[in-house]
Amino acid sequence: MQRVLTTQTKEKIGEKVRLCGWVNNLRDHGKIIFIDLRDKEGIIQLVGDEKLKNLRISDVLEIEGVVKKRPKNLINPKILTGEIEVEVKNFKILAKSKDLPFDIQGSGREINEELRLRYRYLDLRRPRIFRNLEIRHKTIKFIRDWLDAHGFIEIETPILTKATPEGARDFLVPSRLQPGKFYALPQSPQQYKQLLMVAGFERYYQIARCFRDEDPRADRAYGEFTQLDLEMSFTTQEEILSLIEELYKSLIKKIFPQKKLTFSHFPRLEYDEVIKKYKTDKPDLRKNKNDADELAFCFIVNFPLFEWKEKENRWDSMHHPFTAPKEEFVQDLLNERNIGGIKSYQHDFVLNGFEIGGGSIRISDPEIQEKVFKILGHKSSEIKKKFGHLLEAFSYGVPPHGGIAPGIDRFLMIVLNEPNLREVIAFPMTASGQTAVMDAPSEVDSSQLKELGIEIVFNKDK
Ligand code: ASP
C-alpha cells in the first residue's frame, strides 16, 4: 500500500491507509491508547489497543489503519487533521528512540544553546524552527523565480579563492599542492561578480555563502552567512534600488501577507541627514514599534567614500574599495584632497533598524581604482599583487556596473520575529564558533599537517 502523509488522510475517510512517522505524544488510557503521529506535514491522532503500550516518544512507526471521523466533541481545531483519527489495525516499529535530551514542543529558548546545537537535528523537530526553514526555502525560491523572470541568471563563484576585502578577517585554507600557500574563503563574491560584468552577463545573482571571521552578535552569525548577491551592467543607483524595492514588495506580499509596510514607496534617505536626525545610519522608522507585523524598509544613500580610523591612523572604505565616488568628487579624489568629504554611490538597505544589505555603483576606471587603493594605504607593488587581476580585466572593456547584496539570514530573523539568527539557520555555530552537531574546529592528524607542510606551535602566553 502506498504511504500517505498525515494531511492527505483528510480525503480518505473510511479508507485503509498506511502512515509513517514519529511518535510525537502518547496517552495511555489503559485499554485504549492515543498516539500523535508526526511527519513532515503535521500530526494525526492514532487510536489503538494495549499492543501500542510499549511505544515511546520519538520511536519511528509504520501503521496501517482506517481513517475515521471524530465525534463532534472530540474535534481538535488546533491541528489540520483535528476532525479525524486513524484506527490502527497493525503496526511496525521502524526504529526505537532513546529519551530526548530536551523537550521539543516548546520554544526551546530556555534551553542551553550548546545543548540545543549539539542535538540540532532534534531541535529542528521543534515546529517553529521546522517552519522557519520551510519559509526560508519559500523565500529563496521566490527570489530565484522573480530574478529569473527579470532576466538575471544565477552563477556560482569559487569558495576556495583569494582574499577580497569586506572589512573582516579571512578564513584561510592551506594548499597541499603548493605548500606554504593559502586560499581564502570569500568574504563575498564581490570581485567575481564584477568580473562577470566584464564577461558580459549584465544581470547576475547568486544565493551566496560568505565567510567572515568576525565576532558574533545576535544579528551577525559567526563564520558564515548567506546573501542574495546581485550585480547589473549599464545601470544606475536608482535602477538597483527600484529593482530591490519591487522584489521585496512582491516577496512580502506573497510569502508574508500578514505584514504591513510602513512605506508603500521605500524612502531614499541622505546619510548626513539620517545621522543628524537619528544618530545612526540604520534608523528604525516603524510607526508603531510594538507591532510585530510592521516592516519599515528604507535605503540610505550619499555616504562618504572613506572613513577615518582613529586608532589605526588611516583612511578606510566606508563600504569596500570598489565603490565609486560621485562624479563631482572625482577631481578631489585624483588630487587626494577633501578625502573625508568625498561622497560615494554606496547604498544601504535598512529594515526596522537593521542593516539588511549594502551595495554600490562600482569604480570601472582603473585610474580611480588605483587611487582609492593608494588612499587606503596600499603600496603600488601590493596593489598589483592583490588586485592586479581586476585592474587588468578592466582594461578589456568594462561596462559601468553596480549591485547590492541583501542578507538572507538577517531578513528572515526580522520578518519571523526571531531574536537570533540561529533560529533561521539549519546548522548554525555557537557564539564561540563551534559548529552544530559536528565537533569543529577540531584537531587534525599529524599526517595531514605533514602533508600540508604545517607545524603547530602553541603560544605559551595564550
Ligand atoms: N560585496 C558587498 C557586501 O558583501 C555587497 C555589494 O557591494 O554588492 O557587503
Side-chain angles (χ1 to χ4, degrees), residues 256-263 284-297 351-354 413-418:
F256 306 95
Q258 75 282 16
K259 299 276 171 186
K260 282 173 222 54
L261 297 180
T262 313
F263 308 109
D284 185 351
L285 301 179
R286 281 175 295 172
K287 295 243 153 61
N288 177 357
K289 299 201 175 45
N290 300 319
D291 179 355
D293 282 333
E294 181 175 351
L295 297 178
F297 288 97
L351 171 59
N352 293 4
F354 291 91
M413 179 187 91
I414 300 166
V415 286
L416 292 168
N417 295 316
E418 290 289 0

Side-chain angles (χ1 to χ4, degrees), residues 248 310 449:
Y248 277 76
E310 200 59 57
L449 289 177

Side-chain angles (χ1 to χ4, degrees), residues 164-166 187-191 193-194 210 212 225 227-231 319-320 322-323 346-348 355 357-362 402-406:
T164 192
E166 296 279 359
Q187 291 189 32
S188 83
Q190 184 63 35
Q191 294 186 63
K193 66 174 171 176
Q194 294 194 241
C210 303
R212 296 184 192 177
F225 64 93
Q227 68 185 17
L228 158 61
D229 193 45
L230 184 145
E231 197 77 3
H319 184 39
H320 54 51
F322 312 109
T323 299
Q346 175 183 346
H347 37 250
D348 273 7
E355 181 197 325
S360 55
I361 295 292
R362 322 299 181 187
I404 191 165

